[in-house]
Amino acid sequence: MRIGEHPILTFPARRKVTFFFEGRPLEGYEGEPIAAALHAAGIRVLRESPVLGRPRGFFCAVGNCSSCLMVVDGVPNVRVCVEKLREGMHVERQVGKGDLLGAVAAKRGVLRAGGRGGEGGA
Amino acid sequence: MLNPQVMVVGAGPAGMSAALAAADCGVKVLLVDFFSEPGGQLVKQTHKFFGSRGEHAGVRGIEIARLLGEKVRTHLGVELLLDTQVLGYYPDGVLTMERTVDGESEYLKARPRRLVVCAGASEKPLAFPGNDLPGVYGAGAVQTLMNVHGVMPGRRAVMVGAGNIGLIISYQLRQARVEVAAVVEAAPVIGGYAVHASKIRRLGVPILTSHSVKEAHGERELEGVTVWRVDERWQGIPGSERHFEADVLCLAVGLSPLAELLWQAGCRMAYVPELGGHVPWHDEHQQTSVPGIFVAGDAAGVEEASSAMVTGRMAGLAAAASLGSCPHYRELAGEARAQLEALRAGPPGEKIRKGLARLEEVARRAG
Ligand SMILES: Cc1cc2nc3c(=O)[nH]c(=O)nc-3n(C[C@H](O)[C@H](O)[C@H](O)COP(=O)(O)OP(=O)(O)OC[C@H]3O[C@@H](n4cnc5c(N)ncnc54)[C@H](O)[C@@H]3O)c2cc1C
Ligand code: FES
């Protein structure tokens, strides 16, 4: 939920953009943190922890704690509390540790030398 | 490779003051911050500040951020680099940075002649079952979400900690139309100022002293919080449990200095609980045990914005003086020292005075 009226603050008008959460289109404001846009849409579970598979949300909101890692446009381990939202972004919940090398290779269009799975840790 | 005379990490009140003080001495300063705006903690403080008149007491934090931000943006001696996170300090004195512009990041390096670290502090977590559930947030995180991004954290909150931060953010939750079920505080007394406590009491929010969190509940997200009474050793008392429905639990249980860069640089650190945990030893010129590296603000020991501005100014002056660029250093540093003494005087400053004395003692023992 967005804050409407506020006794002290006014929130400047910003450009609305569409992005995708697990394939589902959502609206947010350009340049706000991805986590803020998700939260405003009622989405607070951002990933599942690597060992126990427990749901995690954000904790610090300023990029210090790594609680909020998600897969953004195919790249895992993105701190969505500080990553700015842009039009057309694809955001996915991260399960496990995330395969960063695989993602970088895929982004560069390089075929991975087999063996390493796409799924991260336990 | 950037080669500034002075590099300041962090553009909160401490870093902006350090940059301005050094630049006023004619030194070229690079001021770097991770966020998109200068101001640090101040960008989310909608309340009027306490502290000293010289350091803008009575003015809202967001206004102070704007005033200082305008000065650093327009000062010819300061280069302001935003959206840039300092990643590491290397033995050859090089700092690495990642700067993000329009979603693309670039990697930068700097080798400054003097370094001033003003990285602020991070929030402490608290251990209890369920503390990792989505909905359990640092109080500052909730403040950032509300006051910077305009998003409600939820509908009903429980606040842990009745220091100034817990009390102020409880009030701000109400301003954002979030219900506050209760403020719980493990100590037998409220730590924050009476003005802040009575403001939220007038809104009907109970402050439960000698209480702490027993457990947070919820399937996938926070749904409720059980609190219980604690004894004088902060152990929970079975049978005293109370349950609150809540989708937000805010932890305002203290801050600890963000000093990673100083650890990396080999600065001598000491554990001083009164100053927030591990803090870098520093002398009265704000210089650490590594010559040429200075520290100010909350990174030097958790205090307040007023003192952050003064320690920042001191560090900036001292860095400039060590480059031979501050001919009036004695006089200016003397003024700053007198201001700090006034800020740390009396009962409110007792904790800081104790902490600073302990810092000296620990350092002396370590040789
Ligand atoms: C709710 C609340 C209420 C408060 N009320 C008052 C009050 O009424 N009066 C008062 O005097 N004080 C108050 N304070 C305290 C005050 O805000 C802080 O003491 C003060 O902001 C500390 O200043 P600083 O410059 O040391 O750090 P900060 O303001 O925390 O700034 C640190 C900056 O460093 C940046 N940074 C950190 N690491 C890096 C890195 N690696 N690379 C690049 N940038 C980095 C951060 O982005 C940040 O901008 C309050 C604090 C809170 C949370
Ligand atoms: S919530 Fe802490 S890094 Fe994002």
Side-chain angles (χ1 to χ4, degrees):
Chain A
M1 291 148 290
R2 303 275 174 185
I3 297 174
E5 295 267 295
H6 193 284
I8 293 163
L9 296 166
T10 47
F11 299 100
R14 290 162 293 178
R15 195 166 86 91
K16 262 197 184 151
V17 294
T18 300
F19 69 107
F20 300 89
F21 169 69
E22 315 251 276
R24 193 172 110 211
L26 290 176
E27 277 193 335
Y29 291 117
E30 184 174 56
E32 72 178 343
I34 296 169
L38 289 174
H39 211 291
I43 294 155
R44 306 207 294 173
V45 179
L46 307 178
R47 69 172 171 117
E48 275 172 24
S49 67
V51 179
L52 298 176
R54 286 176 60 87
R56 289 282 161 80
F58 70 83
F59 179 75
C60 73
V62 286
N64 279 335
C65 76
S66 300
S67 181
C68 64
L69 305 181
M70 295 183 84
V71 181
V72 178
D73 289 336
V75 179
N77 299 336
V78 175
R79 293 170 300 178
V80 294
C81 70
V82 290
E83 189 73 22
K84 292 177 182 172
L85 185 69
R86 276 170 295 127
E87 175 86 53
M89 263 182 166
H90 285 265
V91 180
E92 252 97 27
R93 283 202 177 111
Q94 180 164 324
V95 178
K97 287 179 184 161
D99 179 9
L100 192 56
L101 293 177
V104 171
K107 217 180 176 185
R108 290 193 181 145
V110 179
L111 268 183
R112 265 184 293 147
R116 303 196 43 175
E119 288 291 306
Chain B
M1 177 81 70
L2 304 167
N3 290 296
Q5 285 178 290
V6 172
M7 175 166 160
V8 180
V9 179
M16 290 195 284
S17 304
L20 290 168
D24 280 343
C25 297
V27 166
K28 290 281 176 218
V29 181
L30 178 68
L31 173 61
V32 184
D33 201 292
F34 183 34
F35 194 58
S36 310
E37 262 180 71
Q41 292 288 328
L42 303 183
V43 303
K44 50 196 179 184
Q45 308 307 341
T46 47
H47 63 286
K48 295 185 176 152
F49 265 46
F50 51 81
S52 75
R53 183 87 27 100
E55 269 62 51
H56 309 286
V59 179
R60 295 189 199 281
I62 44 177
E63 283 302 323
I64 306 174
R66 213 166 290 155
L67 286 169
L68 285 174
E70 192 54 35
K71 283 193 189 160
V72 295
R73 282 180 200 278
T74 52
H75 201 301
L76 293 175
V78 180
E79 189 186 341
L80 180 62
L81 207 53
L82 296 170
D83 293 305
T84 306
Q85 184 164 28
V86 179
L87 303 171
Y89 180 93
Y90 289 80
D92 53 358
V94 171
L95 292 120
T96 54
M97 298 173 265
E98 186 188 17
R99 181 172 188 227
T100 310
V101 183
D102 293 333
E104 294 297 323
S105 49
E106 61 174 333
Y107 194 63
L108 301 171
K109 290 188 204 172
R111 189 189 278 123
R113 293 187 59 196
R114 299 289 182 270
L115 175 66
V116 186
V117 174
C118 303
S122 67
E123 296 192 283
K124 290 182 183 170
L126 190 66
F128 52 84
N131 71 348
D132 61 344
L133 279 171
V136 180
Y137 303 137
V142 162
Q143 201 187 24
T144 304
L145 191 68
M146 293 190 298
N147 296 355
V148 180
H149 306 302
V151 173
M152 288 168 81
R155 298 204 173 278
R156 194 161 196 258
V158 170
M159 175 68 66
V160 186
N164 278 324
I165 293 184
L167 297 174
I168 289 168
I169 297 177
S170 296
Y171 189 72
Q172 294 177 355
L173 279 159
R174 287 298 304 266
Q175 288 180 319
R177 298 201 170 78
V178 179
E179 205 184 321
V180 182
V183 177
V184 297
E185 165 60 59
V189 290
I190 294 170
Y193 293 159
V195 273
H196 295 307
S198 39
K199 252 169 113 173
I200 65 160
R201 275 205 176 117
R202 276 201 299 274
L203 293 170
V205 177
I207 303 176
L208 307 175
T209 51
S210 299
H211 275 74
S212 189
V213 179
K214 182 185 182 196
E215 203 172 335
H217 313 271
E219 270 299 312
R220 299 267 300 161
E221 296 180 28
L222 184 74
E223 291 161 23
V225 183
T226 302
V227 307
W228 58 356
R229 185 174 274 286
V230 294
D231 62 21
E232 60 287 349
R233 294 169 61 214
W234 293 20
Q235 299 300 308
I237 301 172
S240 67
E241 288 88 349
R242 284 175 69 172
H243 185 79
F244 293 102
E245 257 178 48
D247 56 359
V248 178
L249 178 59
C250 294
L251 306 181
V253 293
L255 300 165
S256 51
L258 271 175
E260 284 85 350
L261 293 170
L262 300 168
W263 284 103
Q264 289 170 3
C267 297
R268 181 189 293 157
M269 305 294 288
Y271 185 73
V272 182
E274 291 87 349
L275 299 178
H278 282 99
V279 293
W281 176 83
H282 53 276
D283 64 15
E284 57 178 11
H285 310 280
Q286 301 296 132
Q287 184 160 232
T288 67
S289 63
V290 176
I293 301 185
F294 300 80
V295 64
D298 282 353
V302 174
E303 214 175 327
E304 290 159 15
S306 304
S307 41
M309 288 180 234
V310 184
T311 56
R313 184 151 70 240
M314 182 82 99
L317 291 170
S322 71
L323 292 167
S325 300
C326 185
H328 303 295
Y329 180 67
R330 261 169 175 274
E331 196 186 319
L332 295 169
E335 278 169 22
R337 198 159 304 126
Q339 268 176 306
L340 272 181
E341 272 167 25
L343 283 170
R344 292 169 177 164
E350 196 190 324
K351 194 167 149 198
I352 298 299
R353 295 198 303 273
K354 245 170 101 179
L356 290 170
R358 195 195 286 233
L359 183 62
E360 279 308 316
E361 195 190 312
V362 174
R364 208 173 323 120
R365 255 188 283 133

